Amino acid sequence: QVQLVESGGGLVQAGESLRLSCAASGSFFSIDVMGWYRQCPGKQRELVASITSGGITNYSDSVKGRFTISRDNAKNTVYLRMNRLKVEDTAVYYCNGETRLSYGLPYESYWGQGTQVTVSS
């Protein structure tokens, strides 16, 4: 059906930057909202940023001004540019896509497998 594959995670020092990518593949009609979420051990998964197919963005207060979400609709890919990273940004980052498998069907939520981002002090 739909596969979301993230890449770009890694280990960086505080103040440095990373860019995450998430490519959607498979058989589907359209993807509406794509987003990045993150989860720390013992905590709930939280929204980091989202973007609609029309380019409307939304950010959590904790990353506003430091992170930028973008997407390439032709490639079904969403990006997250993370600048001025902080130790508290350390988490597993998950990609999410609200996907319609066929015209007329409701949107369903699909998730990637996650990519680890570790920020050291």
Side-chain angles (χ1 to χ4, degrees):
Q1 288 184 334
V2 182
Q3 295 82 42
L4 298 176
V5 179
E6 301 106 333
S7 60
L11 171 64
V12 296
Q13 291 190 325
E16 294 184 339
S17 299
L18 275 177
R19 191 179 84 151
L20 305 182
S21 300
C22 172
S25 63
S27 179
F28 53 88
F29 178 73
S30 65
I31 303 178
D32 185 15
V33 181
M34 298 189 80
W36 289 96
Y37 291 71
R38 66 187 181 188
Q39 189 169 21
C40 300
K43 294 188 176 181
Q44 285 191 329
R45 192 172 297 187
E46 62 174 3
L47 174 68
V48 175
S50 65
I51 184 168
T52 69
S53 57
I56 298 173
T57 59
N58 179 51
Y59 296 92
S60 69
D61 288 341
S62 62
V63 307
K64 203 170 292 183
R66 298 188 297 122
F67 291 11
T68 303
I69 189 170
S70 60
R71 68 189 281 177
D72 184 332
N73 291 329
K75 295 181 179 180
N76 294 312
T77 300
V78 63
Y79 307 95
L80 185 68
R81 177 68 179 181
M82 305 183 292
N83 295 329
R84 303 195 308 276
L85 281 160
K86 303 176 180 180
V87 172
E88 51 264 42
D89 294 318
T90 296
V92 178
Y93 284 71
Y94 295 91
C95 173
N96 174 269
E98 297 296 320
T99 307
R100 180 180 287 181
L101 297 183
S102 182
Y103 180 76
L105 292 180
Y107 284 99
E108 298 177 58
S109 188
Y110 288 86
W111 294 89
Q113 80 287 351
T115 185
Q116 177 70 46
V117 172
T118 303
V119 184
S120 64
S121 60

